[in-house]
Amino acid sequence: MNDHEFRLYLKIDVVQLDFWVEQGWLIPERSSGQRQFRDADVARARLILDLMGNMGVNEAGVDVVMDLVDQLHGIRESMGKLLTVIGRQERDVQQRLLESLEDVDRF
């Protein structure tokens, strides 16, 4: 979705969108010199609108929330890779890892 479609869809103006991009809250792709937005950008923009509108979060707060969202997505990606690698191991290795995890939970 291009810049204009994105703004129309979310009912925001160019100043607002430019600010979000400058803050790094949205990082659109570039194609032929124009910004292109994905579904993930729409979801992030909706979150920003909710935070700043309905929840009354200020810019510094939005910055913190977006950073935490990014960290969470990074952790989920890492966990997915880890689970894939563990799933490729032999059964006895998987069992030892599971037992080790249970031992850690006891602390």
Side-chain angles (χ1 to χ4, degrees), residues 62-75:
V62 172
D63 206 38
V64 169
V65 170
M66 299 311 288
D67 184 55
L68 291 171
V69 166
D70 291 341
Q71 288 181 40
L72 180 59
H73 283 288
I75 290 168

Side-chain angles (χ1 to χ4, degrees), residues 25 46-63 65:
W25 300 342
R46 284 183 175 160
L47 174 59
I48 294 165
L49 286 170
D50 283 344
L51 290 168
M52 296 185 90
N54 299 337
M55 297 179 199
V57 176
N58 65 16
E59 293 168 9
V62 172
D63 206 38
V65 170

Side-chain angles (χ1 to χ4, degrees), residues 7 10 15 20 26-27 29 33 37 40 44 46 58-59 61 66 71 79-80 85 92 94 100-101 104 107:
R7 287 186 288 110
L10 293 164
V15 173
W20 294 356
L26 297 175
I27 304 172
E29 294 178 355
F37 297 90
R44 289 175 69 88
R46 284 183 175 160
N58 65 16
E59 293 168 9
M66 299 311 288
Q71 288 181 40
M79 287 299 296
V85 169
D92 64 319
Q94 291 180 16
S100 293
L101 182 60
V104 171
F107 290 112

